[in-house]
């Protein structure tokens, strides 16, 4: 019998390799989903910030316009005061020549019309300015709210990735990769844009996976496919979710895959590019590098579908 004195503690047993592997697999699945959530929120923030910057530019233009109209309004008011109601009116009505009097009254009416026009323009510009200010403030508030969400998601991902790294190092499976890797030459059967995309993709082999990264020294899964197809002149959205949605009208059967097709996992936590021969190239996850893998080994029963850019 083992007696424990008060205050003594039993150290928790060190997890076995099998337990560490199981925990790592679970963490990897969680990380896939969490990284893509982070990417989605980060893209939302970029859109909100872009909207605010655009409205801010419009607001600046409106401020300039209002300032110019204010100067016109002051000049018109001074001119009306000096040339119209105060100085010219007695001269108009005392003219002996009816034609001269009518001409003077017409000039006075023109001054009044000019004044009214500037007043109307100034009022409209002020209303537009208030509207721009309100929209810009709303956009800024939205961006700030989303930024807080981004920071929250970032903390979650960093914590999870830290756990992954510790486990991978314990299992001697952490591969830091080489951000300057020259990759390998693509010699597959793809043609056209798909060939250009795959040539770029193969040139990234050996570069490290890093969550939230879009190159050139590291990538996450959707950042990698986006960069590869961008090289071929095709603009893909940023995340797995948006790339899958973007390809709604471009879906292809898994029985008819062609090199360059985008492959998506169930749950949309991960994606890669088909290279032919039952293989794909992808940026896997923390502690690994861009590489080519067998679909059977990697995604048996987990493949959701494919999109052809």
């Amino acid at each position: 019998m083992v007696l424990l004195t008060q205050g003594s503690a039993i150290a928790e047993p060190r997890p076995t390799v099998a337990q560490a592997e199981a925990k790592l697999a679970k963490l990897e699945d969680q990380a896939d989903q969490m990284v893509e959530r982070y990417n989605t929120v980060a893209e939302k923030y970029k859109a909100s910030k872009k909207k605010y910057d655009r409205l801010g530019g419009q607001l600046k233009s409106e401020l300039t316009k209002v300032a110019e109209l204010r100067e016109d309004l002051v000049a018109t008011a001074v001119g009306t005061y000096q040339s119209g109601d105060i100085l010219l009116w007695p001269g108009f009505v005392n003219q002996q020549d009816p034609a001269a009097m009518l001409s003077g009254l017409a000039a006075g009416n023109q001054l009044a019309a000019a004044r009214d026009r500037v007043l109307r323009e100034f009022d409209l510009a002020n209303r537009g300015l208030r509207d721009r200010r309100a929209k810009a403030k709303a956009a800024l508030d939205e961006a700030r709210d989303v930024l807080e969400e981004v920071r929250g998601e970032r903390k979650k991902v960093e914590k999870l990735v830290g756990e992954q790294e510790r486990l991978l190092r314990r299992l001697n499976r952490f591969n830091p990769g080489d951000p300057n890797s020259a990759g390998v030459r693509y010699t597959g059967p793809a043609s056209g844009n798909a060939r250009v995309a795959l040539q770029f993709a193969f040139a990234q082999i050996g570069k490290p996976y890093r969550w939230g990264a879009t190159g050139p020294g590291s990538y996450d899964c959707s950042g990698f496919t986006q960069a590869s197809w961008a090289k071929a002149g095709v603009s893909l959205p940023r995340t797995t979710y948006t790339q899958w949605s973007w390809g709604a009208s471009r879906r292809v059967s898994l029985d008819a895959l062609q090199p360059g097709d985008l492959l998506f996992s169930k749950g949309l936590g991960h994606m890669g590019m088909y290279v032919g021969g039952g293989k794909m190239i992808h940026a896997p996850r923390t502690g690994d590098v861009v590489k080519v893998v067998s679909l059977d080994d990697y995604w048996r029963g987990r493949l959701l579908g494919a999109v052809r850019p």
Side-chain angles (χ1 to χ4, degrees):
M1 176 182 293
V2 178
L3 297 177
L4 297 178
T5 60
Q6 187 174 5
S8 63
I10 299 177
E12 290 193 13
R14 185 180 178 85
T16 65
V17 171
Q19 288 171 331
E21 291 275 7
K23 183 176 181 181
L24 180 61
K26 185 177 180 180
L27 286 174
E28 287 173 344
D29 286 340
Q30 291 175 340
D32 283 345
Q33 297 293 333
M34 197 169 289
V35 166
E36 288 308 310
R37 282 203 303 271
Y38 167 81
N39 287 339
T40 299
V41 174
E43 288 301 298
K44 185 179 177 183
Y45 170 71
K46 288 180 185 176
S48 298
K49 184 64 167 55
K50 184 177 180 181
K51 179 180 178 182
Y52 168 69
D53 291 341
R54 175 175 55 81
L55 289 170
Q58 293 174 348
L59 176 59
K60 184 177 180 180
S61 176
E62 290 290 341
L63 284 168
T64 301
K65 182 179 179 182
V66 166
E68 290 173 350
L69 287 172
R70 184 180 289 109
E71 290 179 4
D72 290 346
L73 186 59
V74 170
T76 302
V78 170
T80 301
Y81 175 80
Q82 292 178 340
S83 306
D85 296 338
I86 302 299
L87 298 181
L88 292 183
W89 186 255
F92 294 159
V93 296
N94 291 326
Q95 282 281 355
Q96 297 301 315
D97 182 355
M101 183 180 73
L102 288 173
S103 177
L105 286 172
N109 287 336
Q110 287 174 3
L111 283 171
R115 178 198 61 202
D116 290 344
R117 176 183 57 77
V118 175
L119 278 169
R120 285 195 301 273
E121 289 181 2
F122 183 71
D123 181 54
L124 286 173
N126 264 313
R127 291 180 187 177
L129 182 60
R130 290 192 294 269
D131 182 55
R132 297 287 186 205
R133 278 177 173 153
K135 287 181 177 178
K137 184 180 183 303
L140 180 59
D141 290 343
E142 178 185 0
R144 283 173 174 166
D145 289 344
V146 176
L147 182 58
E148 288 304 310
E149 192 176 352
V150 169
R151 287 170 177 161
E153 291 295 333
R154 177 182 287 274
K155 288 179 181 177
K156 293 177 186 176
V157 174
E158 287 173 343
K159 181 179 179 181
L160 192 61
V161 167
E163 290 186 65
Q164 281 183 284
E165 287 189 9
R166 286 189 292 274
L167 272 175
L168 285 165
R169 292 184 187 281
R170 177 174 173 260
L171 295 168
N172 293 318
R173 285 174 46 189
F174 187 86
N175 184 351
D178 178 6
N180 299 310
S181 172
V184 299
R185 183 169 173 266
Y186 174 72
T187 59
S191 60
N193 286 351
R195 185 172 189 83
V196 176
L198 283 168
Q199 284 174 334
F200 177 87
F202 271 64
Q204 312 313 304
I205 288 176
K207 291 185 177 180
Y209 171 96
R210 185 179 182 281
W211 63 274
T214 57
S218 58
Y219 300 90
D220 65 17
C221 66
S222 53
F224 174 67
T225 54
Q226 183 189 50
S228 297
W229 272 100
K231 193 68 174 178
V234 177
S235 180
L236 297 179
R238 172 64 182 91
T239 71
T240 55
Y241 306 118
T242 50
Q243 288 187 32
W244 175 252
S245 296
W246 173 87
S249 62
R250 301 166 179 265
R251 305 274 164 79
V252 293
S253 167
L254 297 177
D255 296 327
L257 291 175
Q258 292 181 9
D261 289 347
L262 303 175
L263 299 171
F264 297 82
S265 70
K266 293 178 179 178
L268 297 177
H270 192 61
M271 66 181 302
M273 289 174 60
Y274 189 62
V275 302
K279 297 179 179 180
M280 76 168 183
I281 186 170
H282 69 152
R285 49 178 55 98
T286 296
D288 210 341
V289 299
V290 175
K291 61 185 180 182
V292 175
V293 295
S294 165
L295 286 177
D296 284 340
D297 292 343
Y298 195 83
W299 265 353
R300 186 182 291 115
R302 297 177 60 194
L303 198 59
L304 172 65
V307 167
R308 183 163 299 154

